[in-house]
Amino acid sequence: MDVGELLSYQPDRGAKRPREEDGGSAGGEEDSRGGKQQKGLAARELARYREAAGLGIEVGGDMRETEELTGDKKKILEKLMDQDEEEPEAEPVDESSVKKMILTFEKRSYKNQELRIKFPDSPEKFMESELDLNDIIQEMHVIATMPDLYHLLVELNAVHSLLGLLSHENTDVAIAVVDLLQELTDIDTLHESEEGAEVLIDALLEGQVVALLVQNMERLDEQVKEEADGIYNTLAIIENMAEFRPGLCTEAAQQGLMQWLLKRIKAKMPFDANKLYCSEILAILLQNNDNTRELLGEMDGIDVLLQQLSVFKRHNPSTAEEQEMMENLFDALCSCLMLPANRDRFLRGEGLQLMNLMLREKKMSRTSALKVLDHGMIGPEGADNCHKFVDILGLRTIFPLFMKTPKKMKKTGASEKEHEEHVCSIIASMLRNLKSQQRSRLLNKFTENDCEKVDRLMELHFKYLEAVQQADKRIEGEKHEMVRRGEILDDTMEDEFYLRRLDAGLFVLQLICYIMVEISNSGISQLQQRVHQILNLRGGSVKVVRHIMREYAESIGDGKSDEFKEAERKRIMDLVDNF
C-alpha cells in the first residue's frame, strides 16, 4: 500500500441509527442512536490538503523538495499510526480531568483558528492543529457519561466554542462537533441529571444552536456518507432537545428549521433514513403547536405535504420505513388542519380531491386519508370543505365505507373502531355544516334502498352502546372498591374515568346518537319513523339517547369561545327535545 493510498484511507464513522445503505433498516433500534464513537478526522481531508500542497511544487523543481515533502508525509503518517499505540491509561473522569480536557480543547481550538488565519493558503501549516483539535473533540465524548458535570461546559465557555466550530471551514470538524452534541443531548443521559441537562440546554438555546445547525446542514453534501450521517445526527440533536423541552419547537421552526425540513422532504432524492427522520421531526414540531402550524401554512407547506403524499394514491409504500414516513406526513397534515387558516389552504390545494381518490383506490393510504378528511371537515371552520366534498361526489365514496368496515385494516394497523369513528365523525360534520341543496343530497342518501343506511346506523348504535355499558359496569365496580377502601374520588379521577369511557366507545356512540337526532329532525318522516321503529324493536330507549346527547352537549367545544359553546349546546338540546 503506497503512501497515497494510506492517506486516502477512510475509517468508518458509524451512524447513530443504522442507515439504509448499511443494510440496516432505517427505522433502527432506539439504542443504536446513542453509540459512543471514537473517530479520527477523515483522512480524506488530509489527502485533500496534501494534494493542494503538492500542487505548489514547481515542475522540474529540486528533487530535495519532493523528498522533504515525502518526509513530511511520512511524519504525518507515523503520527496517525502512533495515535493508537500511544493511548495513555484512561484517567478517571472527575471534575478536574474534565476541566483539564476543556482547557486543552480551548487551547487547540484557538491555535487552529490562529494558524488558519495566518496561513490560509498553506494547509500543511494548520493540518496538524486540526488533527489535534479533532482528537480532543473525540476525547470529550467521555463527558456524556457524566451529565452532572455539564455545568463545567457552560461555566468554562466550552458550549460557546463548540457552537462556533459548527461553522468551521473544514466540515469534518463541524461533523465531529455534531457527533459530540448528539451524545451530550442523548435523551436518557439528559434524564440522568435534570440540573446538568437544564444548564446545557439553556446554554445551547442561548447560543442559537438550531440556527447554527441548520446553516451547517445547508452546506453538507448527502452524497458523501459522513456528511449524510452528520445530517442524521443533527436531526437527532433536535429531536433530543424537543423531547426534553417541547417549548423550544416554535423557536426552532422559526430559526430556519421548518424551511430546511420542507426543502429536504421535497428534494428529488431516493428515499433514505434522512428523509424518514425529516418527516418525524416535522410531525414533532407541529404537535399541539399553532405557531408552527401557521408558519408551515405560510411557507406553502400544505402543498408540499400533499405533493409528497400523492405518490401513495396508487402505490403502497415499498418498505416498512417508507410506510412510517407516509404516516408521519399524514400526521403532520392532520396537525396542520387543526388551524382554521390551513383548512382553506388545504381546500385550494385540492386536498379533498386527493383524499377522495385515496379512499377509492383502496391502498394503504386509505385509513390515513379518512383521518385527514375528518380533521378537515370538523367544526364550523370545516363548512367550506364539507360543501366541496359533496360537490366532488364524496358521498359516493364515504357511504360504502360507512355501510361496511373494510377487512384489510390489519395491514395498516388501524382498528375497526378507529375507522368507524372517523366515518361517523365525517357524516356528523356534514350534517352540522351543510346547507340547502348539499344537505338534501346527504339526507336523501339515508332514504335510499329502503333506509339501509338508517339500519346500519342503528346496528352501530347498539354495538357501541353495549361496549360503553360494559365499561361503565367495570368503572362502577372500581369506584365502589375505592369508596370501600376510603379513597377520595377527586376531579382528576373522574376525568380519568370519563376518558376511559370515551376510549371504550363513548365518543363514537355520541357521534352516532348525534346523527340519529339530526336525521330525525330533518323533516323527512320516514327517517324518524325508522329510527324509532328499530329502537323499540330492539328494546332501546329514547331516554338513553337523550342522556348520551346531554352528556355530549356538556363536554362540547373545548378551546372554543363561550358564545360558540352556548349556541352549540342550545342547538343540540333543541334537537334532543324534539327527538
Side-chain angles (χ1 to χ4, degrees):
M1 198 184 230
D2 71 2
V3 169
E5 276 180 69
L6 264 172
L7 281 174
S8 56
Y9 168 69
Q10 179 64 43
D12 182 40
R13 44 156 101 227
K16 292 290 181 277
R17 201 196 262 180
R19 296 172 52 79
E20 287 297 73
E21 313 88 272
D22 309 346
S25 75
E29 295 297 310
E30 287 300 307
D31 329 336
S32 59
R33 287 194 193 170
K36 309 260 182 280
Q37 304 146 302
Q38 288 293 317
K39 311 189 202 68
L41 179 73
R44 65 195 166 84
E45 279 296 332
L46 192 80
R48 215 186 293 159
Y49 289 133
R50 282 288 155 222
E51 274 167 39
L55 292 174
I57 304 163
E58 284 179 29
V59 185
D62 197 340
M63 282 295 286
R64 244 189 0 252
E65 283 185 38
T66 321
E67 278 163 20
E68 273 170 27
L69 205 85
T70 318
D72 278 358
K73 278 187 178 181
K74 279 186 181 151
K75 272 183 210 158
I76 287 183
L77 261 181
E78 279 160 18
K79 182 172 169 54
L80 280 168
M81 302 296 224
D82 294 347
Q83 270 172 355
D84 297 333
E85 295 159 29
E86 284 172 10
E87 289 297 304
E89 284 297 299
E91 40 179 309
V93 182
D94 55 20
E95 195 157 329
S96 69
S97 69
V98 169
K99 278 182 177 171
K100 208 161 89 183
M101 199 180 285
I102 292 173
L103 207 63
T104 310
F105 161 70
E106 289 291 356
K107 275 185 195 158
R108 291 185 186 180
S109 173
Y110 181 69
K111 183 182 174 188
N112 175 248
Q113 196 182 356
E114 203 176 29
L115 290 172
R116 265 188 172 271
I117 292 167
K118 223 174 186 173
F119 310 107
D121 303 323
S122 314
E124 71 280 2
K125 296 268 175 52
F126 56 72
M127 192 56 221
E128 196 154 334
S129 69
E130 220 134 286
L131 284 166
D132 291 343
L133 174 59
N134 184 68
D135 290 344
I136 191 70
I137 294 173
Q138 301 307 334
E139 280 174 43
M140 286 167 76
H141 277 252
V142 76
I143 302 175
T145 60
M146 304 286 285
D148 41 348
L149 296 181
Y150 280 4
H151 64 95
L152 294 175
L153 287 169
V154 179
E155 287 159 17
L156 300 174
N157 221 11
V159 170
H160 181 72
S161 305
L162 284 168
L163 291 177
L165 289 178
L166 285 174
S167 48
H168 194 282
E169 290 89 335
N170 180 350
T171 52
D172 284 22
V173 172
I175 291 172
V177 173
V178 166
D179 287 349
L180 174 60
L181 290 176
Q182 193 273 335
E183 215 161 301
L184 292 172
T185 57
D186 182 84
I187 196 70
D188 299 331
T189 313
L190 291 182
H191 286 309
E192 279 171 37
S193 163
E194 296 284 331
E195 266 174 61
E198 289 287 351
V199 171
L200 176 69
I201 300 292
D202 282 342
L204 288 171
L205 291 176
E206 202 176 306
Q208 302 255 322
V209 62
V210 179
L212 293 169
L213 287 171
V214 171
Q215 277 166 21
N216 185 42
M217 287 196 293
E218 293 275 5
R219 66 186 181 139
L220 295 180
D221 171 13
E222 289 192 64
Q223 302 305 313
V224 181
K225 186 181 179 303
E226 291 74 24
E227 302 197 2
D229 289 348
I231 286 184
Y232 191 90
N233 290 336
T234 304
L235 295 172
I237 298 171
I238 291 164
E239 183 186 24
N240 293 337
M241 296 200 312
E243 193 175 330
F244 185 75
R245 191 175 294 173
L248 65 83
C249 286
T250 306
E251 199 181 320
Q254 287 163 348
Q255 286 182 11
L257 180 62
M258 179 74 82
Q259 202 169 0
W260 187 87
L261 287 171
L262 289 172
K263 195 171 87 181
R264 176 62 179 84
I265 283 171
K266 70 177 180 184
K268 287 188 165 47
M269 291 163 74
F271 173 76
D272 62 356
N274 282 358
K275 186 166 184 173
L276 170 61
Y277 214 170
C278 284
S279 69
E280 216 172 297
I281 301 290
L282 187 64
I284 290 170
L285 288 184
L286 296 165
Q287 253 170 12
N288 312 322
N289 191 328
D290 277 349
N291 297 323
T292 53
R293 291 167 184 166
E294 178 71 54
L295 188 65
L296 180 127
E298 287 165 2
M299 290 177 170
D300 292 333
I302 303 281
D303 279 352
V304 174
L305 290 173
L306 291 172
Q307 274 163 9
Q308 290 302 309
L309 286 168
S310 64
V311 182
F312 303 111
K313 175 174 62 189
R314 294 202 169 88
H315 305 285
N316 279 335
S318 45
T319 60
E321 286 74 40
E322 200 173 1
Q323 186 185 339
E324 194 187 329
M325 181 196 70
M326 177 184 84
E327 297 300 342
N328 288 337
L329 294 178
F330 271 122
D331 287 345
L333 188 54
C334 287
S335 285
C336 289
L337 291 174
M338 304 283 232
L339 189 77
N342 284 336
R343 306 264 183 110
D344 192 37
R345 295 178 175 121
F346 176 73
L347 178 68
R348 289 201 309 267
E350 302 198 343
L352 287 164
Q353 286 89 326
L354 178 63
M355 299 305 133
N356 194 30
L357 277 172
M358 285 179 168
L359 292 185
R360 288 185 185 174
E361 286 291 343
K362 301 181 181 169
K363 295 289 180 210
M364 270 185 188
S365 55
R366 174 160 74 172
T367 314
S368 301
L370 203 57
K371 193 166 73 173
V372 171
L373 282 176
D374 185 4
H375 279 79
M377 293 158 83
I378 206 164
E381 305 89 356
D384 291 345
N385 280 323
C386 285
H387 285 90
K388 183 68 177 175
F389 188 66
V390 176
D391 293 345
I392 62 169
L393 309 181
L395 295 178
R396 287 185 195 175
T397 319
I398 204 74
F399 272 105
L401 292 171
F402 172 68
M403 291 303 289
K404 190 164 180 284
T405 301
K407 287 276 176 284
K408 289 198 301 192
M409 304 278 286
K410 297 286 167 283
K411 221 196 296 184
T412 54
S415 66
E416 199 175 279
K417 177 174 152 290
E418 214 177 308
H419 173 89
E420 286 161 2
E421 178 185 313
H422 290 312
V423 175
C424 291
S425 179
I426 288 169
I427 294 172
S429 295
M430 288 195 286
L431 282 167
R432 189 204 174 288
N433 286 325
L434 292 178
K435 301 269 181 291
S436 63
Q437 172 220 350
Q438 281 101 335
R439 183 178 175 80
S440 317
R441 280 165 69 180
L442 175 63
L443 290 167
N444 286 339
K445 277 283 176 196
F446 282 98
T447 60
E448 279 175 12
N449 300 344
D450 190 26
C451 299
E452 59 173 8
K453 315 276 190 303
V454 181
D455 297 354
R456 169 67 172 157
L457 182 69
M458 301 310 291
E459 181 193 324
L460 289 170
H461 170 70
F462 287 108
K463 170 183 163 179
Y464 282 101
L465 183 61
E466 191 186 342
V468 172
Q469 283 170 342
Q470 282 180 348
D472 285 349
K473 238 186 224 157
R474 280 196 300 274
I475 288 171
E476 280 312 310
E478 283 178 41
K479 282 185 178 174
H480 193 72
E481 255 316 287
M482 288 175 73
V483 172
R484 202 178 57 74
R485 289 200 302 264
E487 291 176 27
I488 297 165
L489 283 172
D490 56 0
D491 286 351
T492 20
M493 276 314 292
E494 287 294 355
D495 286 348
E496 198 179 308
F497 284 138
Y498 184 60
L499 284 174
R500 266 175 55 189
R501 293 177 63 218
L502 285 175
D503 216 33
L506 177 62
F507 181 59
V508 193
L509 184 62
Q510 290 173 343
L511 291 170
I512 293 166
C513 289
Y514 176 74
I515 297 171
M516 281 161 60
V517 298
E518 269 277 18
I519 61 175
S520 297
N521 278 294
S522 63
I524 301 173
S525 57
Q526 76 188 94
L527 292 181
Q528 185 172 13
Q529 282 161 7
R530 180 60 73 98
V531 169
H532 286 276
Q533 181 192 347
I534 298 176
L535 266 182
N536 297 333
L537 200 67
R538 292 193 51 177
S541 89
V542 172
K543 236 162 123 182
V544 171
V545 177
R546 282 186 171 159
H547 173 71
I548 292 165
M549 286 318 291
R550 284 207 179 90
E551 194 172 25
Y552 175 57
E554 279 311 305
S555 64
I556 205 151
D558 275 351
K560 298 274 194 289
S561 69
D562 290 343
E563 298 92 70
F564 169 77
K565 281 187 205 173
E566 266 320 301
E568 190 63 2
R569 264 181 212 152
K570 187 178 177 320
R571 193 178 72 81
I572 291 172
M573 292 322 293
D574 289 348
L575 289 173
V576 173
D577 293 340
N578 297 331
F579 180 58

